[in-house]
Amino acid sequence: MSDSVGLRERKKAATRAALSAAANRLAIEHGVDHVTVEAIAAAADVSPRTFHNYFSSREEAIVAGVVDWANALTDKLRDRPADEPIWDALLAVLLDSVDDRPEAKARWKAQSEMIMANPSVVASQLAALDGMRRRVAEVVAERTGTDPDRDLYPRLTGGSAAQALKAALDLWISGKTDRGIKELIVEAFELLRAGLPEPSQSR
């Protein structure tokens, strides 16, 4: 029984991933306004009805990859050694989850430009990122003995980590630095852990 359940879950995950990848690719290639649920379903070789079993809208499908990546990240965070300092654990899972290759940077850039050009997709992405912050806060609370519904620490930690990642990604894909995403994430975490000291004014 467990084997059959596991197989069904893997098939469902594969279908969801295929739909999300198709939605993202079509949105980048043709623009969100020219992408339909029917086109996404056809590209993933499923029916529009199957699409609606997984997503309520094309926008939700487009950003689903971010949601799934964030969910996998928090699962990895739960698997880190219990006695590992929380900021060390967060940094480790982030560095293990990002791709520093040029082709990955090109994909991030294309996706970011597509999202920013479409307010409806921006809203879906913001909702996805907020979900990521909540999930990270829950894991931080578990690891630190705090309560995400009552204490600031897990909320601040989750939000700060998510913002550090976003700031590093935004700078990386801007093309205005030749530094890699992992190097930028490490620096972002170092600055946070140091309390964001004001940069030196020396020139």
Side-chain angles (χ1 to χ4, degrees):
M1 178 65 72
S2 61
D3 288 344
S4 61
V5 171
L7 179 60
R8 285 200 301 272
E9 291 303 314
R10 288 194 296 273
K11 286 183 176 180
K12 288 172 63 177
T15 300
R16 175 184 167 87
L19 284 165
S20 175
N24 203 278
R25 175 176 56 79
L26 291 172
I28 290 171
E29 291 177 354
H30 305 294
V32 174
D33 290 341
H34 300 287
V35 177
T36 64
V37 168
E38 289 74 17
I40 296 169
D45 198 25
V46 300
S47 69
R49 181 177 179 179
T50 296
F51 174 95
H52 287 295
N53 288 337
Y54 290 86
F55 303 111
S56 62
S57 67
R58 64 185 179 184
E59 289 82 6
E60 185 181 349
I62 288 169
V63 302
V66 176
V67 175
D68 294 344
W69 178 79
N71 289 343
L73 188 150
T74 50
D75 289 341
K76 290 180 180 178
L77 184 57
R78 280 194 170 93
D79 291 338
R80 298 296 300 180
D83 59 349
E84 184 177 36
I86 188 61
W87 284 101
D88 290 348
L90 282 165
L91 180 58
V93 297
L94 282 177
L95 292 179
D96 186 55
S97 300
V98 295
D99 188 344
D100 219 353
R101 295 175 299 172
E103 53 266 37
K105 182 176 181 179
R107 287 196 303 271
W108 273 104
K109 180 176 174 61
Q111 178 171 305
S112 178
E113 290 174 348
M114 175 270 294
I115 290 173
M116 295 309 297
N118 295 275
S120 61
V121 184
V122 171
S124 293
Q125 185 190 47
L126 289 175
L129 291 174
D130 190 56
M132 174 184 176
R133 284 191 289 270
R134 289 197 304 271
R135 283 177 60 90
V136 172
E138 290 171 0
V139 182
V140 170
E142 292 170 7
R143 294 175 62 93
T144 58
T146 53
D147 184 345
D149 294 326
R150 296 169 57 89
D151 299 321
L152 277 173
Y153 183 82
R155 290 171 176 252
L156 285 171
T157 302
S160 297
Q163 188 57 44
L165 172 63
K166 184 179 185 304
L169 283 170
D170 287 348
L171 182 57
W172 182 50
I173 65 176
S174 72
K176 297 179 181 179
T177 178
D178 58 0
R179 300 167 67 194
I181 182 59
K182 294 188 178 184
E183 180 184 351
L184 290 168
I185 290 173
V186 168
E187 182 184 355
F189 270 57
E190 288 176 348
L191 289 170
L192 282 176
R193 297 179 78 167
L196 285 178
E198 187 174 344
S200 171
Q201 297 300 313
S202 61
R203 298 182 184 274

